[in-house]
Amino acid sequence: MKVALAQISPHLGDVKKNLALHLEYIEKAKKKRTDLLIFPELSLTGYTLQDLVPDVAITPGDSKELAFLLKAAGKTAVVLGFIEERAEEKGIFYNSVAYLFDGKILHIHRKVFLPTFGMFDETRFFAQGKNFFTFPTPNGRTGMMICRDFLSYGAGYLLFAGGAEIIIAISAAPGRGLSGEEGFGSSRMWELMGEMLSRFSNVFCIYCNRVGFEDGKPFAGGSFIFNPFGKLLCLASYTESQMLIQDIDMEESREARKLWPYKRDDKPEIILESLKRIVGKYEY
Amino acid sequence: MNINGPFVEKILKLFIREEMKKSHFSRGIIGLSGGLDSSVCTALAAGALGPKNLTALILPYGKVSQKDVEDAELLVRALGIKSKTIDISPMINIYYERYPFKNNVAIGNKMARERMSILYDFSVREQALVLGTSNKSELLIGYGTIHGDMACAINPLGDLYKTQVRMLARHIGIPKQILNKKPSAGLWKGQTDEGEIGLTYKELDEILFLRVDNKKSREEILAKGYSEKSVDHILKLIKKSSFKRNLPPIPKISTRTVGHDFLYPRDWE
């Protein structure tokens, strides 16, 4: 199957412009006969929204933007990031990712790990998601994460335990840390997790980050795909907008599991019981 | 503290180009003293925007820094940018003739603000955004004039220590006579930054790097062998200059207040 990573620079706070940008990339991807097109975190809104959050939120099922995108995407699976205000939870806002296919939203993941330290301030503006589910797609069983979620190996484990064959992480990760090397020090952190997760979960690990600046913060691109053996298949620029296209062979997931039975030998029930005992000792 | 010259050059040029575009400007304007920081920033902006889209204003006080003016003119020619030289001494002199004040620091600040005032006037004349040239070392210890040389629309060098600006200058090929001169704010004859701050940039930057980038405590820095005098001096300067890095406080008395909880990004499109 053909995967396209839209490493874009969204317009901050302008959903209309971003919708046009998405439609442009969907057209491009369709021309290349792409099966799965992935946009970065908050691709429909930009990242540093602060008090703009309520103004740019959309409600799945009642959003003309999503209706446009569902129609344009058709049989190309499209993954994108947006601010979600659920119909049954008005006034509560999530940093969400949706998987669109064939006119339907197959799954929505709400960001669980909301970074709030240093330059990040997400719990001030977002409600916390509560789940890591996998779901079936025509392109294999899939699990999704958003940015900081991906840096939690617990979260990665849950998608592995849930039977994921593809793990998709969308991101708006600023680059930071200089050295004599090309690129930001922080880029290596994402690549390391991608390599680890793909290698030890025997999954395709697909990371789509954004580029561009917001209030001086440089988003560090470097989108990538690792195959289920932990091999880097492609790596995007750390600075430039681009659409990265990669053919992947889903058969490799089976091949990797045959050689390395991590999934067969997993012990979720022991992990669950052990976690219960650890959490049970918390002092409240 | 080490940097990758080509990578930093690329990132800073992208930053200049993108922030300009978001502000709906295609042209930039910069105060060029002939010193290291403004020379590096001028060269980066000329590369990012194209030489035709950058104007350098050379703003000496009479003949006090003639050598710097010559260096600035040399850079202007090398980059192929537009420039204008305006002597600020008539404006400064007429003020102090009327309101005499013998205080070098105050006069220096007045000059920095005169330059700022001219830059912002030309910003309108030329429809050009003002580029700042303050580096991280200066910002952290407050070695700059508030509403003077610290005033700008975007500040490309603000996250590079002086030591790193020098590394970048070497990479982008800043002329030797600029690279090798003693850093000076040019406030009075013979003034040097290091003399005025009371530390070498090497020591200052090393201590700042430990404190700011690596979050080391005073004791941890002292344990690395730096003198108590230097460390305490720097910590005091950081604290004393905090007001220069923040907007003026507003008393919060309503439910939503500018500067407190009215939070919108600057790059709002």
Side-chain angles (χ1 to χ4, degrees), chain A residues 7-10 25 173-176 178 181-184 187 191 209-213 217-223 235-243, chain B residues 4-15 17-18:
Chain A
Q7 183 170 288
I8 57 171
S9 173
Y25 271 79
R176 49 213 188 272
L178 293 174
E181 305 290 313
E182 161 102 39
F184 289 110
S187 295
E191 290 155 15
N209 193 21
R210 57 163 293 180
V211 289
F213 288 82
K217 290 191 294 287
F219 296 97
S223 302
L235 177 64
S237 156
Y238 292 123
T239 49
E240 311 287 337
S241 275
Q242 73 178 103
M243 185 156 89
Chain B
N4 180 288
F7 180 68
V8 173
E9 179 189 2
K10 188 169 166 189
I11 285 286
L12 297 187
K13 282 182 176 171
L14 282 170
F15 165 80
R17 221 173 285 144
E18 196 168 321

Side-chain angles (χ1 to χ4, degrees), chain A residues 164-166 201-204 228-229 249-258:
Chain A
E165 293 161 276
I166 299 183
S201 315
N202 299 138
V203 299
F204 281 97
F229 294 96
D249 178 4
M250 290 308 294
E251 192 59 24
E252 283 187 353
S253 174
R254 180 168 181 265
E255 291 301 312
R257 281 182 184 179
K258 282 196 308 190

